[in-house]
Amino acid sequence: MHTLPPLLSGFVPIWALSAAGYAVGRSGLLGPQAESVLGGFVFNVAMPAALFTMVAGTPLGTFANMSMIAFAAGTALACLLGFAVSRWIFGRGLPDQAIGGMAAGYVNSANLGIPVAVQILGDASFVAPVLLFQVLLVTPVILTALDAGTAGTAGAGAGGRWGERGAVRMLLLPLRTPVILGTALGCAVSATGWRLPVALGHSVELLGNAGVPTALITLGMSLHGRRPATGIAIRAEVGATVLIKTLVQPLAAFAVGSLVLHLPAHQLFAVVILSALPSAQNVFIYARQYELSTALARDAVMFSTLLSMGTLSAAAWALGPGHT
């Protein structure tokens, strides 16, 4: 029996579920509002449950290590470059700048990071601190920028109707944004060592498990009737974003890890591999939920996923056991 190469097998679920979503969108099986409804379900229900489960079950101290400094440096540089490109080259507003920064530096650590880590690194333990870093530090920054730029009027939270301003809006952001609220509750549970009753915990976990496949289905549905962006500006922006994500971010992590921190070979290998993961589908979900154009997010996710197979393979060849 022929089996798929280990690296390729990690990408198959992404392509298969996105293709299924495209077929659903093309057939009209779920009706004209399905993409909006499913996107809202992921952002407001399934994703918060998944983040709560992940954070609650992970000791918060796991991401306090030298390897994470290198990963964080690469992420910060990539996000800032994506933000700068969107702002100063393409003249986007704050919400689109946030999406550009996220598309350039927020890795697909959940449904792709784990299988890639298992197949290439032989150990998925480093994925947990990456997940925590993105959830606890990067996500609140992105959502704060999105909320400030849209004045809270999008589907993620209608706080603008009550007229909050400035610091008050920021203080209330976790209560109006289920993703942050789920993460905050997970932190509280992790810090106290308390655990949900087994039956309730299992129910939350089942709900969270629906997040990734539904997000991929929604992403696939968004491709129906929409070709890759054809305008010169948006194509250039997608190209710049994907270049930052697939090349600049892992190279920056490598430079910091090797030249500044002098990480051991296996830690440096793990940092570069996880930094080279493609953009997460969360970028598309956030853009969709805040009623922004999804062209950049959609195309950045799709093209970075395709190109990352090459960059991941190159990193594995250059830094993997036997080549260091």
Side-chain angles (χ1 to χ4, degrees):
M1 179 182 295
H2 295 288
T3 59
L4 292 172
L7 180 61
L8 180 61
S9 66
F11 288 84
V12 169
I14 295 178
W15 294 335
L17 290 175
S18 296
Y22 177 84
V24 169
R26 183 179 178 86
S27 69
L29 182 65
L30 300 181
Q33 301 301 317
E35 183 185 329
S36 175
V37 172
L38 289 178
F41 167 75
V42 173
F43 186 88
N44 293 300
V45 182
M47 192 180 297
L51 294 175
F52 170 83
T53 301
M54 186 275 293
V55 175
T58 306
L60 298 181
T62 59
F63 75 103
N65 58 69
M66 295 297 289
S67 299
M68 282 308 302
I69 296 176
F71 180 86
T75 298
L77 177 62
C79 287
L80 288 173
L81 284 176
F83 182 92
V85 165
S86 180
R87 178 182 177 87
W88 284 296
I89 297 181
F90 296 99
R92 308 299 185 192
L94 179 59
D96 291 304
Q97 294 166 24
I99 292 298
M102 187 177 185
Y106 198 102
V107 307
N108 189 343
S109 57
N111 63 313
L112 186 55
I114 293 174
V116 165
V118 170
Q119 298 289 356
I120 297 180
L121 304 175
D123 181 7
S125 61
F126 190 75
V127 178
V130 168
L131 278 164
L132 280 179
F133 171 75
Q134 293 197 140
V135 168
L136 299 182
L137 298 179
V138 181
T139 296
V141 173
I142 298 295
L143 289 177
T144 298
L146 287 170
D147 187 79
T150 57
T153 57
R161 291 179 295 183
W162 291 290
E164 298 99 349
R165 291 294 184 268
V168 175
R169 284 190 54 80
M170 294 304 100
L171 289 173
L172 294 177
L173 181 61
L175 299 179
R176 295 183 287 106
T177 311
V179 169
I180 296 181
L181 183 59
T183 303
L185 291 175
C187 287
V189 170
S190 177
T192 60
W194 183 73
R195 292 291 179 266
L196 293 178
V198 174
L200 180 58
H202 183 59
S203 299
V204 175
E205 183 179 1
L206 284 175
L207 182 59
N209 288 342
V212 167
T214 307
L216 291 170
I217 291 290
T218 307
L219 176 63
M221 292 177 67
S222 76
L223 299 175
H224 170 59
R226 302 170 191 161
R227 296 180 180 179
T230 55
I232 295 177
I234 187 62
R235 288 175 65 181
E237 189 173 5
V238 170
T241 301
V242 172
L243 180 66
I244 294 169
K245 178 70 219 60
T246 56
L247 290 179
V248 175
Q249 185 173 2
L251 287 174
F254 173 79
V256 173
S258 61
L259 301 178
V260 179
L261 301 177
H262 306 290
L263 294 177
H266 68 284
Q267 291 185 19
L268 183 63
F269 184 34
V271 166
V272 173
I273 287 294
L274 293 177
S275 297
L277 290 169
S279 303
Q281 65 271 4
N282 295 15
V283 183
F284 168 79
I285 293 297
Y286 288 9
R288 182 73 182 77
Q289 188 64 22
Y290 279 87
E291 300 176 0
L292 303 171
S293 170
T294 58
L296 172 63
R298 182 186 67 240
D299 290 355
V301 170
M302 297 303 294
F303 287 120
S304 67
T305 299
L306 290 173
L307 290 176
S308 66
M309 288 192 62
T311 54
L312 285 166
S313 297
W317 176 84
L319 300 175
H323 294 88
T324 56

